[in-house]
Amino acid sequence: MRELYIAGNWKMNYKPGEAAVFAKQIADAVKNLKVKVMIAPPFVCLPAVTEAVKGSNVIVAAQNVNDHASGAYTGEISCDMLKDIGVNTVIVGHSERRQYYGETNEFINKKVLFAIENEMDVILCVGETLEERDSGRLEKVLADQINIGLSGVSENQMEKITVAYEPVWAIGTGKTATPSDADSAHAYIRSLIAEKFGKTVAENTIIQYGGSVKPANAKELMACSNIDGALVGGASLTLEPFLSIINASKK
Ligand code: 13P
């Protein structure tokens, strides 16, 4: 049985002080819930946030990581630096990184491999643009993102991988995939994982949905058999909607 996993991607929002206060409110509010909850603040907020949620069941993640151990990579952050402050989870391949910073499937794969070799948990984001969907390329795009993104990952290492299906056209637009469209994309992703790693791994892999998840649509989305949680952007930036999504999501 896959665990329900609700994550908040704060993107480029909040300064360290306010992030710590907000993170503590989340930690207090979810302490008795049996849902896996993650928050991903900006890099500079990570020390304050890890401190604020210490001892709670809230996971703190980074929004990106470099694919090298250390060295001359100006502006970058390594796995070791993250682990040193207690951050053991990272989001890789978010569509905003693909779109604005030119990250390719091959580059994302290097980060995935480096992160899991460094014992980190990874949320690998995949998803198609509207143009790709409308031109009938949904399956090809997802197949490339999964097959290349997870290339070289072993069956055992798949324990460290969560996949987030985030159709680009649904991110921050207020448009959500219908539950049945989302569920069928998730089922397809699961079939790709089954082909590559076998049925058991596919059945155990958590696949989150992301893209305008709100309290109003969370229950319906999470009720789908292939949707195991959410990667929430805008609605994770304040307490009430994020908690409502967490509560609405319980299956
Ligand atoms: P929104 O929930 O704001 O659409 O963002 C989704 C997302 O990109 C989460 O990573």
Side-chain angles (χ1 to χ4, degrees):
M1 182 68 186
R2 296 182 296 270
E3 208 177 356
L4 190 64
Y5 187 5
I6 307 292
N9 175 8
W10 294 3
K11 306 190 180 183
M12 198 171 72
N13 292 289
Y14 293 132
K15 299 190 260 284
E18 55 201 16
V21 172
F22 181 36
K24 176 84 171 78
Q25 289 171 344
I26 295 172
D28 289 344
V30 304
K31 67 173 174 240
N32 296 319
L33 299 182
K34 289 200 170 45
V35 177
K36 190 169 169 182
V37 175
M38 178 274 253
I39 50 178
F43 282 129
V44 291
C45 298
L46 289 172
V49 167
T50 48
E51 197 53 40
V53 305
K54 209 174 230 160
S56 81
N57 49 358
V58 172
I59 298 164
V60 180
Q63 298 173 16
N64 186 23
V65 73
N66 189 262
D67 60 322
H68 293 88
S70 64
Y73 301 101
T74 301
E76 293 291 292
I77 299 286
S78 73
C79 289
D80 262 4
M81 293 172 192
L82 294 173
K83 285 167 59 183
D84 191 62
I85 56 162
V87 174
N88 298 300
T89 302
V90 63
I91 298 173
V92 175
H94 192 279
S95 66
E96 286 148 18
R97 301 237 32 111
R98 294 176 187 263
Q99 207 177 347
Y100 306 138
Y101 305 103
E103 294 196 6
T104 61
N105 286 325
E106 289 74 13
F107 182 49
I108 289 161
N109 175 242
K110 286 188 188 166
K111 297 188 189 210
V112 168
L113 291 176
F114 198 75
I116 51 178
E117 276 156 20
N118 282 277
E119 304 293 323
M120 296 193 79
D121 292 319
V122 170
I123 297 187
L124 170 65
C125 300
V126 300
E128 80 290 0
T129 63
L130 193 55
E131 193 266 322
E132 288 163 342
R133 173 173 276 259
D134 288 348
S135 59
R137 284 183 289 147
L138 170 64
E139 294 201 344
K140 165 85 175 106
V141 168
L142 292 180
D144 284 350
Q145 290 174 335
I146 291 291
N147 289 328
I148 302 171
L150 295 177
S151 171
V153 175
S154 71
E155 236 174 85
N156 287 345
Q157 287 173 325
M158 279 300 288
E159 270 180 20
K160 316 251 353 132
I161 304 278
T162 294
V163 175
Y165 169 63
E166 299 201 305
V168 179
W169 49 271
I171 295 177
T173 57
K175 288 184 197 150
T176 330
T178 63
S180 83
D181 279 350
D183 198 49
S184 66
H186 281 228
Y188 179 63
I189 291 167
R190 207 175 293 290
S191 76
L192 293 167
I193 296 172
E195 262 170 49
K196 208 168 161 52
F197 300 101
K199 206 165 172 338
T200 310
V201 169
E203 281 308 311
N204 290 336
T205 302
I206 294 176
I207 307 179
Q208 298 171 321
Y209 171 79
S212 298
V213 177
K214 303 274 180 280
N217 57 26
K219 201 178 179 65
E220 231 191 331
L221 284 163
M222 298 312 129
C224 298
S225 61
N226 279 294
I227 301 182
D228 312 314
L231 182 54
V232 186
S236 75
L237 291 175
T238 41
L239 192 61
E240 282 307 311
F242 192 49
L243 287 184
S244 314
I245 290 169
I246 292 169
N247 284 313
S249 301
K250 284 186 230 146
K251 297 214 183 191

